Amino acid sequence: MRLFGRARWWVVAVQVVGLGACLLPTDRSNELEVQLETLPNLFVKDTIELRARLLDGEATQVPNAVIRYSSDDLAVVTVTDDNRLLAVGVGTATVTATAVGYEAAASATRTARVRGLLEVDSLRNTNAARPPNTAFFGDVLEIFGVGLAPESLFAVTIGGEAAAISQWIPDDPTQRNRLGRLFVWVPPPAARASQMFVLGFNGGLLVPDSLNIVQRDLFEFNDIAPANLGPVPLGFRNPGLAFESRARTETEAAVDWYTFQNTESRDRTIVVFSEMVGAETFVTLLTDSIFWNSTVSNFGFGSSAWSIGRETYFCDGRQITVGGEPIAFAEVPFPFTVLALADLPAGTYHLFIPFVPQGEAASYEVLILPTYETLTTVPRDSEEENDYCDVAGPLPVGNASLTIDNPHDVDWYGFSVAAPQILDVTLSTDGTAEADVDLYLIRDFRPDSLVLVRDATAPGDAAETISQLLPPGDYFLVAFDYAGVSVRYSLNTKFRAPPAGAATADDRARPVDLDRLRAKRASANRQPPLPGLSERLRALRR
């Protein structure tokens, strides 16, 4: 019996131990902890309601528990009497939630991050081939941060130079002042060791990361070999290009050379603009055929080249001459070029930008648009495109209403004379102030030469007239505004038979007053007022 009793007691003991082992893991009502909801990123002056609860070991909420909140950095976030978190300064702080009266309950903590109204997280060069924190002029930097929406910024500068904004992508489209990405071009002549400064309505910020600026633009070296911009179907813009200050060897030309392609016939407007280069040193031309001749260390035009550019007008690779001397149209120099071309044929085109090297890098911009743009309200006329000899329009007979629609728009008109004729031409403007449209009558001796027969280049907006006996042959009449002022004009042309016995010899050396032409070209160094043009040009570049 004693043995049996011991055995029974042992069994009972085992049962008790087993029961205890079964109950303890599930009976956790005394294991309490506070659970605090995750805190979102905050911005200065933001406020949110704090939410926490007290849970027992079964993850059951303890009813009527009172939670107290605190911040370990009151300069970043504070807790209001109604349990709201108020962001008061930029930085991070730890928010703690504690259950009142439950000393054994575990507290909960969350990190609160408060961002400023203007803040930069980081910046990087979008050109992945560049070393970290290294940029060339014309590179695009991507800036990550807060308050970087363009409409809230006064300026972004790199090394003290204004950086144009390329693009803005907000991460939250409904709150443009918050996280986002701002893209800016690196501007010349930013110093080799530069810092970025951002100034806006929400304050100013000096970005701590330094940039190593390479003192040339991203398309170098394009002095004697062109940088290919490609087809640019939607256009191209880069305001951070540079005329470098580096020394050039005798075999290098002071020029930047680009090509782009038209994959189909389409309107194009090409703008080259500089606020740092004097007009007297800044020349731009567009051509369909140019090459570098290493034998003579100079550039040449192809045998079928045409070009448009200040004092550089080629037709089938030939300039206009008088007595074998090249003659350029007289024109006032501008610090920008606007070439608007209608239905530019498919092909490759060369943008050729010569300059005089400066003491330091000088900034300029290239803008290529897939549209026909004008800087004023003067529209293009019905004869466009006739800006170069290959597309010269027919000579208007009678009175025609025509336009110079952009600074230095060129209107070419072609015609032929089968028998000796006297051509009478009168050009009259609409009276626009400062306008000064000139006329050039050119004999077309291609493939040998183009010879200036007569010009009408009186100063001011007085009517220009030409009356000239023409032998049989091919001719161009070119209308060109010396002052670069957009204007409407009328061209009255008529032919009449020459009087009996009039000379009709094919004399290529026509009596052109070269001294007067040179004097007008020399006077082109003055810069006329450009009311409204600069504003329209800036609007076009946005």
Side-chain angles (χ1 to χ4, degrees):
M1 289 294 294
R2 189 178 303 165
L3 180 60
F4 179 79
R6 284 184 178 179
R8 185 176 183 184
W9 173 252
W10 178 82
V11 171
V12 171
V14 170
Q15 287 177 341
V16 171
V17 171
L19 180 61
C22 180
L23 291 176
L24 286 177
T26 60
D27 184 11
R28 299 175 56 193
S29 58
N30 291 327
E31 295 182 12
L32 302 173
E33 64 176 354
V34 177
Q35 187 179 77
L36 176 60
E37 290 187 3
T38 302
L39 302 177
N41 281 336
L42 302 173
F43 296 81
V44 174
K45 298 183 181 180
D46 273 357
T47 179
I48 61 169
E49 181 182 356
L50 291 168
R51 292 191 178 97
R53 54 185 180 170
L54 181 62
L55 303 178
D56 63 19
E58 301 289 339
T60 301
Q61 183 172 346
V62 177
N64 302 319
V66 177
I67 307 296
R68 179 184 294 124
Y69 303 94
S70 63
S71 165
D72 74 341
D73 192 341
L74 299 180
V76 177
V77 291
T78 62
V79 179
T80 64
D81 293 339
D82 58 350
N83 292 331
R84 297 188 67 83
L85 192 66
L86 174 63
V88 295
V90 176
T92 59
T94 299
V95 177
T96 301
T98 304
V100 178
Y102 294 84
E103 290 77 7
S107 299
T109 61
R110 293 288 187 183
T111 298
R113 181 181 183 188
V114 179
R115 309 186 65 118
L117 295 178
L118 184 62
E119 184 179 342
V120 170
D121 280 351
S122 61
L123 60 88
R124 70 178 183 88
N125 196 327
T126 58
N127 189 331
R130 302 276 189 256
N133 293 337
T134 297
F136 286 57
F137 298 138
D139 272 344
V140 176
L141 298 181
E142 184 176 13
I143 311 168
F144 299 83
V146 177
L148 298 174
E151 63 267 23
S152 69
L153 297 178
F154 295 123
V156 178
T157 60
I158 298 175
E161 302 296 330
I165 294 173
S166 166
Q167 189 181 12
W168 162 247
I169 301 177
D171 280 359
D172 182 354
T174 65
Q175 300 185 73
R176 292 179 62 82
N177 194 43
R178 303 220 167 172
L179 290 171
R181 291 176 288 159
L182 184 71
F183 298 81
V184 298
W185 282 285
V186 177
R192 284 183 170 83
S194 291
Q195 281 189 301
M196 177 180 293
F197 181 73
V198 182
L199 179 64
F201 289 111
N202 297 323
L205 177 68
L206 184 64
V207 180
D209 295 337
S210 293
L211 286 167
N212 175 34
I213 307 296
V214 178
Q215 299 293 295
R216 62 175 184 262
D217 69 40
L218 74 164
F219 291 113
E220 285 295 324
F221 299 94
N222 58 337
D223 302 90
I224 59 175
N228 187 3
L229 303 180
V232 293
L234 300 179
F236 170 87
R237 184 192 178 199
N238 195 318
L241 301 175
F243 297 134
E244 287 76 20
S245 59
R246 62 183 176 82
R248 295 172 181 270
T249 67
E250 292 183 358
T251 59
E252 290 179 322
V255 65
D256 280 347
W257 183 7
Y258 304 90
T259 60
F260 69 93
Q261 289 81 45
N262 259 9
T263 56
E264 60 183 5
S265 178
R266 68 184 307 162
D267 290 356
R268 286 287 190 189
T269 300
I270 297 96
V271 178
V272 182
F273 179 83
S274 176
E275 294 180 299
M276 296 186 65
V277 179
E280 69 279 0
T281 67
F282 188 60
V283 181
T284 306
L285 65 92
L286 178 74
T287 176
D288 73 337
S289 178
I290 196 169
F291 60 91
W292 171 255
N293 188 334
S294 58
T295 302
V296 296
S297 296
N298 206 344
F299 294 93
F301 286 84
S303 60
S304 60
W306 56 263
S307 67
I308 309 172
R310 182 163 72 85
E311 299 189 350
T312 310
Y313 295 88
F314 278 76
C315 177
D316 277 353
R318 291 164 179 78
Q319 286 182 278
I320 302 158
T321 61
V322 173
E325 177 183 344
I327 292 294
F329 305 142
E331 56 188 300
V332 172
F334 274 47
F336 62 84
T337 301
V338 179
L339 301 173
L341 303 168
D343 294 324
L344 185 65
T348 296
Y349 297 93
H350 299 253
L351 190 59
F352 195 72
I353 310 174
F355 67 101
V356 173
Q358 308 292 300
E360 62 178 9
S363 174
Y364 73 95
E365 172 176 344
V366 171
L367 175 65
I368 302 175
L369 299 172
T371 53
Y372 191 105
E373 301 289 343
T374 60
L375 295 191
T376 67
T377 58
V378 176
R380 66 183 180 187
D381 60 39
S382 60
E383 299 301 321
E384 292 293 343
E385 181 55 47
N386 62 337
D387 283 14
Y388 50 99
C389 71
D390 287 1
V391 289
L395 184 66
V397 177
N399 200 17
S401 180
L402 304 162
T403 65
I404 301 294
D405 57 63
N406 268 313
H408 304 313
D409 180 23
V410 185
D411 288 346
W412 287 73
Y413 303 99
F415 63 98
S416 298
V417 174
Q421 295 281 308
I422 295 176
L423 171 65
D424 294 316
V425 180
T426 300
L427 184 150
S428 303
T429 68
D430 61 4
T432 298
E434 298 290 336
D436 185 3
V437 182
D438 293 334
L439 280 177
Y440 296 86
L441 178 62
I442 300 163
R443 180 73 183 272
D444 181 4
F445 287 109
R446 287 180 298 171
D448 296 328
S449 62
L450 296 160
V451 177
L452 180 62
V453 176
R454 185 63 56 86
D455 69 290
T457 56
D461 63 352
E464 302 285 10
T465 62
I466 289 178
S467 183
Q468 179 68 35
L469 174 62
L470 302 179
D474 299 322
Y475 296 87
F476 291 112
L477 185 68
V478 177
F480 186 81
D481 191 85
Y482 161 82
V485 175
S486 297
V487 63
R488 291 176 170 83
Y489 69 92
S490 296
L491 195 61
N492 188 287
T493 61
K494 64 179 181 180
F495 290 93
R496 54 189 173 90
T504 59
D506 184 5
D507 181 4
R508 301 188 183 191
R510 295 292 173 177
V512 175
D513 189 341
L514 292 180
D515 291 336
R516 180 175 50 78
L517 269 180
R518 292 189 186 102
K520 183 153 189 174
R521 288 180 60 197
S523 68
N525 289 326
R526 68 179 180 86
Q527 178 71 50
L530 302 174
L533 284 186
S534 295
E535 291 76 9
R536 175 70 181 104
L537 181 60
R538 286 183 174 86
L540 190 65
R541 292 159 54 216
R542 292 191 185 104

